[in-house]
Amino acid sequence: MIFIDESQTDLLRIVWKDSIDDSIKTYRMNSVVYGTTCAPFLAQRVIKQIVTEDGHTYSLATSTVSADIFMDDVISGCSSISSAKQLKQELISLFSGAGMKLHKWSSNCIELLSNFDVSDGDVSLTIPDETKALGLLWRPQKDTSAFSVPSIADVSDSSTITKRSFLSATARVLIH
């Protein structure tokens, strides 16, 4: 949750009616609402501020967050299990200092997943067959990445494959 400075809450209001006969209620939002134009920027800016303020304490997490974060996903790796455990602990500490709890952990190493309290969030204590991040499939058991390609026949309105349907299918691969 990213709180908005109190002086700015008048700029983000929601108008609400419980029913058609009720009077209009106005609410001021105290935190960033996802779906607003500024939300992605504010999320990235807050993460940058967290690193600026507390990054000196967590050097491994700082370099990972600076280089390997995409929107709200950290996609990274380490050369050894011990450094991965250290990174995991530093990431948890860095973000918990800002009141943020990390969740949706995934790994191809069961040791990294075993130290979580299952009630803490979206943590599976098994290695999944595949998981998705930023539209890219990751298969942890084989440690490979993949992406799905729509069939050109699925894109085409008719059974005839045309240049147009081919280019449309190609564009979908590039966009997704």
Side-chain angles (χ1 to χ4, degrees), residues 52-135:
T52 299
E53 290 178 6
D54 298 327
H56 60 279
T57 310
Y58 309 105
S59 61
L60 191 56
T62 297
S63 63
T64 299
V65 169
S66 297
D68 299 339
I69 196 161
F70 307 95
M71 294 309 293
D72 59 352
D73 291 331
V74 174
I75 302 172
S76 192
C78 294
S79 58
S80 69
I81 293 175
S82 62
S83 62
K85 286 180 180 179
Q86 180 185 351
L87 174 60
K88 173 184 149 184
Q89 191 53 53
E90 285 190 18
L91 287 168
I92 290 169
S93 298
L94 177 66
F95 285 100
S96 68
M100 296 180 176
K101 194 171 197 174
L102 302 179
H103 60 104
K104 295 184 182 176
W105 289 86
S106 188
S107 176
N108 60 351
C109 176
I110 198 71
E111 270 185 75
L112 294 174
L113 298 174
S114 62
N115 295 342
F116 286 104
D117 180 6
V118 176
S119 64
D120 276 353
D122 304 325
V123 179
S124 172
L125 299 180
T126 60
I127 297 174
D129 290 333
E130 65 182 30
T131 187
K132 201 172 191 181
L134 302 170

Side-chain angles (χ1 to χ4, degrees), residues 135-155:
L136 187 68
L137 293 173
W138 177 50
R139 297 183 177 129
Q141 294 179 0
K142 295 180 180 179
D143 199 16
T144 59
S145 296
F147 57 90
S148 60
V149 178
S151 167
I152 293 175
D154 293 342
V155 175

Side-chain angles (χ1 to χ4, degrees), residues 150-170 172:
S151 167
I152 293 175
D154 293 342
V155 175
S156 179
D157 292 335
S158 68
S159 60
T160 306
I161 297 173
T162 63
K163 286 186 216 176
R164 182 183 196 130
S165 63
F166 178 80
L167 291 172
S168 177
T170 306
R172 289 181 188 198

